[in-house]
Amino acid sequence: QVQLVESGGGLVQPGGSLRLSCAASRSIFSIGNMGWYRQAPGKQRELVAAITSGGSTNYADSVKGRFIISRDNAKNTVYLQMNGLKPEDTAVYYCNAEVVTASMRWGDYWGQGTQVTVSS
């Protein structure tokens, strides 16, 4: 069973920075697209940023110029560097990855979510 383990959330003041990490583990053959989504209270889950296995990225308009997504394929890990945080960035952030397991089965996996709160 593939697991995505997130870390790095927390409470930060407006204008501050946080770095989220998401490591995929167990029986992985390869990982395709990886991404970060977020869900604020009363709102639908939305894509924040995504990155392909080749390193191509795309971002939600609301975070362009402030957030940077990256990945370390050797570590099966994706990162989200969040700068210039705003109160409206407050949400639970979820990691997502398209994984081919060691038994050659494709699956779409999610992390457990990590809370990011931007408040003074």
Side-chain angles (χ1 to χ4, degrees):
Q1 180 75 18
V2 173
Q3 289 187 336
L4 300 183
V5 180
E6 300 157 355
S7 60
L11 173 65
V12 63
Q13 292 186 343
S17 297
L18 283 175
R19 189 191 194 208
L20 305 183
S21 299
C22 173
S25 62
R26 297 191 183 181
S27 305
I28 294 171
F29 176 77
S30 66
I31 302 179
N33 296 335
M34 303 183 83
W36 289 95
Y37 291 72
R38 67 186 180 188
Q39 188 166 19
K43 295 187 177 181
Q44 289 189 332
R45 190 174 297 189
E46 62 175 358
L47 175 67
V48 176
I51 185 168
T52 68
S53 57
S56 297
T57 59
N58 69 285
Y59 297 91
D61 288 343
S62 59
V63 306
K64 282 181 181 177
R66 299 188 297 123
F67 291 11
I68 300 172
I69 188 170
S70 62
R71 63 190 286 171
D72 184 333
N73 291 329
K75 296 181 179 180
N76 292 331
T77 300
V78 63
Y79 306 96
L80 186 66
Q81 178 66 43
M82 304 186 293
N83 302 318
L85 282 161
K86 305 175 181 180
E88 51 264 43
D89 294 317
T90 295
V92 178
Y93 284 70
Y94 297 91
C95 169
N96 174 262
E98 299 174 346
V99 177
V100 177
T101 67
S103 58
M104 305 309 288
R105 292 185 176 183
W106 180 91
D108 189 57
Y109 294 89
W110 292 88
Q112 80 283 0
T114 185
Q115 177 70 46
V116 171
T117 302
V118 185
S119 175
S120 55

